[in-house]
């Protein structure tokens, strides 16, 4: 019996070690090895709360995340303004490219010259491709983000000169992440665009995406990564608002996201074929990878995908996700979502590794070629 018990204990220990190895493998972020003679001096980001590292801290708006429990796992528990418990996709990207550990907010008053030269985020939580989306919640729309970008270029020129600025403009990676708030907030929840049907509204969104890409290209930008909309009907808050008593995924919302994604993908293809002769805009599918994590959370090492860690996990986000809520979970790593709208750091890590592997070759070398 003693021998059997010892063997059983050994097996349990082995299984625990094996499970830990699986989890580490899932969240490991692959470093991006650039092709010969290719450099990426900076990453410049436009969009919404998924990639806002704290710009909204400096706005008069309720859409903020600069208070606990946000940032619970960020630099010793610092609520930086990131809408998660830790790192966000823009941080993971600059780390994978070997540029720096974190991508700061452009409005951070403590930025130094090197921060500017290696990239910043202009993103603002609550923004979208529809100008009305940002206006509703008093945040920075894409037009205002573009104004800040032009201001940023003037600062870079003052620091490094015109040639340095030209190389940063042309060689940097531009990450554009928006669309979720347009659909979830402006269209379905507030219904302030009720004069549009879904096909017409997704056309408006795609036009907004095309406009910012074309403006950036005309200024000399050449490398764009454009995130699709996620399956918004399956994020916890939208399950609560549109999924009925059972809190199922709100399929109407997902169908709208899929329609937008199809049109966005086609629009980027047309830009690449007809206008972006010297550049490339890569459509990055977030919808299907995140949907798979939500559908099969245990396969990725998660325990909960229908509720967020913060509070009850069903509706709390921004000001409702606060340190006074007694229900916030103890271990965010078990959750796909941090609050009822934004993923956890570990969910971002789980998604980001495969995305780098899938899109890296196409991004720098073009579709169908090998670096």
């Amino acid at each position: 019996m003693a021998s059997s018990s010892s063997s059983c204990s050994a097996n349990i220990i082995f299984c625990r070690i094996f499970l830990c190895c699986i989890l580490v493998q899932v969240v490991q972020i692959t470093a991006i090895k650039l092709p010969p003679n290719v450099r990426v001096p900076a990453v410049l980001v436009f969009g919404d709360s998924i990639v806002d590292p704290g710009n909204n801290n400096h706005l008069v708006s309720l859409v903020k995340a600069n208070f606990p429990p946000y940032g619970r796992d960020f630099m010793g528990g610092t609520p930086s303004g990131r809408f998660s418990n830790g790192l966000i996709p823009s941080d993971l990207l600059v780390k994978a490219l070997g540029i720096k550990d974190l991508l700061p907010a452009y409005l951070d008053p403590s930025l130094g010259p090197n921060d500017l030269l290696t990239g910043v985020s202009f993103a603002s939580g609550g923004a979208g491709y529809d100008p009305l989306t940002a206006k509703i919640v008093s945040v920075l729309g894409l037009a205002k983000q573009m104004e800040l970008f032009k201001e940023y270029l003037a600062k870079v020129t003052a620091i490094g000169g015109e040639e340095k600025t030209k190389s940063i403009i042309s060689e940097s990676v531009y990450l554009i992440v928006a669309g979720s708030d347009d659909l979830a907030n402006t269209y379905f929840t507030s219904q302030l665009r009720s004069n549009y049907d879904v096909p017409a509204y997704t056309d408006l969104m795609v036009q907004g995406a095309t406009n910012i890409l074309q403006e950036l290209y005309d200024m000399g930008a050449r490398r764009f990564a454009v995130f699709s909309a996620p399956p918004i009907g399956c994020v916890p808050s939208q399950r609560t608002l549109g999924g009925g008593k059972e809190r199922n995924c709100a399929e109407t919302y997902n169908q709208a996201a899929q329609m937008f994604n199809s049109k966005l993908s086609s629009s980027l293809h047309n830009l690449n074929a007809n206008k972006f002769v010297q550049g490339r805009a890569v459509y990055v599918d977030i919808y299907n990878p995140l949907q798979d994590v939500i559908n099969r959370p245990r396969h990725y090492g998660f325990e909960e995908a229908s509720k967020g860690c913060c509070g009850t996990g069903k509706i709390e986000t921004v000001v409702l996700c606060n340190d006074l809520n007694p229900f916030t979970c103890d271990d965010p790593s078990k959750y796909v979502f941090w609050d009822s709208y934004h993923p956890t750091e570990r969910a971002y890590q789980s998604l980001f590794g495969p995305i780098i592997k899938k899109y890296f070759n196409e991004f720098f070398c073009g579709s169908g070629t090998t670096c």
Side-chain angles (χ1 to χ4, degrees):
M1 290 293 291
S3 175
S4 174
S5 175
S6 176
S7 175
C8 182
S9 297
N11 286 338
I12 291 173
I13 292 172
F14 173 79
C15 287
R16 286 177 176 171
I17 293 173
F18 180 68
L19 179 59
C20 286
C21 289
I22 290 176
L23 295 181
V24 169
Q25 185 178 24
V26 167
V27 301
Q28 185 177 10
I29 300 299
T30 304
I32 298 175
K33 184 179 180 182
L34 297 175
N37 302 318
V38 171
R39 65 186 293 268
V40 178
V43 171
L44 298 162
V45 177
F46 300 81
D48 58 23
S49 57
I50 298 300
V51 285
D52 177 1
N55 284 309
N56 279 17
N57 297 353
H58 309 283
L59 305 179
V60 180
S61 173
L62 292 176
V63 185
K64 295 185 180 183
N66 58 343
F67 47 84
Y70 285 101
R72 175 190 284 184
D73 303 295
F74 181 81
M75 297 181 66
T78 304
S80 65
R82 288 167 171 80
F83 292 78
S84 186
N85 63 305
L87 303 178
I88 56 177
S90 44
D91 297 319
L92 301 178
L93 179 57
V94 292
K95 181 70 173 179
L97 283 167
I99 296 174
K100 49 189 175 184
D101 291 332
L102 301 169
L103 190 74
Y106 174 68
L107 295 182
D108 183 347
S110 68
L111 293 183
N114 190 60
D115 294 313
L116 294 171
L117 294 175
T118 52
V120 293
S121 174
F122 305 96
S124 178
Y129 291 121
D130 178 354
L132 180 60
T133 300
K135 188 176 181 180
I136 293 169
V137 288
S138 302
V139 299
L140 305 173
L142 291 179
K144 181 60 179 177
Q145 292 179 35
M146 281 298 302
E147 289 180 19
L148 294 178
F149 174 60
K150 294 170 185 176
E151 179 184 284
Y152 157 84
L153 293 179
K155 292 181 180 179
V156 169
T157 301
I159 294 168
E162 291 188 4
E163 289 305 312
K164 180 76 170 179
T165 303
K166 287 179 181 178
S167 68
I168 288 175
I169 293 174
S170 63
E171 296 178 321
S172 292
V173 168
Y174 294 77
L175 180 62
I176 293 92
V177 182
S180 299
D181 292 311
D182 294 319
L183 292 170
N185 299 335
T186 306
Y187 192 78
F188 286 111
T189 302
S190 74
Q191 298 187 350
L192 290 175
R193 291 293 196 187
S194 58
N195 54 320
Y196 287 78
D197 59 14
V198 172
Y201 190 66
T202 51
D203 284 343
L204 182 151
M205 291 170 62
V206 171
Q207 188 59 56
T210 302
N211 289 346
I212 187 172
L213 289 168
Q214 187 65 62
E215 186 173 0
L216 287 167
Y217 184 85
D218 291 343
M219 294 176 68
R222 294 294 180 262
R223 299 167 174 168
F224 307 99
V226 187
F227 276 26
S228 74
I232 59 167
C234 293
V235 305
S237 62
Q238 305 312 304
R239 286 176 181 263
T240 301
L241 295 172
K245 291 182 179 180
E246 300 299 319
R247 296 186 66 252
N248 295 317
C249 291
E251 289 307 323
T252 302
Y253 297 10
N254 282 350
Q255 289 166 7
Q258 289 174 319
M259 180 178 290
F260 166 71
N261 290 342
S262 177
K263 292 178 179 180
L264 178 65
S265 178
S266 295
S267 177
L268 298 186
H269 176 78
N270 289 335
L271 286 174
N272 288 328
N274 301 311
K275 294 186 177 182
F276 289 2
V277 179
Q278 297 177 318
R280 186 161 189 82
V282 175
Y283 171 82
V284 180
D285 175 25
I286 298 299
Y287 186 102
N288 289 298
L290 181 55
Q291 184 72 79
D292 194 52
V293 173
I294 292 170
N295 290 342
R296 302 190 300 154
R298 293 190 179 277
H299 176 77
Y300 295 89
F302 297 103
E303 295 181 7
E304 178 58 68
S306 66
K307 296 186 295 184
C309 167
C310 189
T312 65
K314 296 180 180 180
I315 199 66
E316 294 90 345
T317 188
V318 294
V319 294
L320 296 179
C321 174
N322 59 69
D323 217 20
L324 300 177
N325 199 312
F327 302 110
T328 298
C329 75
D330 294 325
D331 187 358
S333 70
K334 296 178 181 179
Y335 285 70
V336 175
F337 292 96
W338 164 245
D339 59 17
S340 71
Y341 200 81
H342 305 95
T344 58
E345 175 185 315
R346 187 167 169 271
Y348 285 136
Q349 290 173 328
S350 297
L351 291 164
F352 202 75
I355 284 172
I356 287 177
K357 184 177 180 181
K358 180 175 181 179
Y359 293 103
F360 161 70
N361 190 64
E362 180 182 354
F363 188 75
F364 289 105
C365 308
S367 181
T369 63
T370 302
C371 293

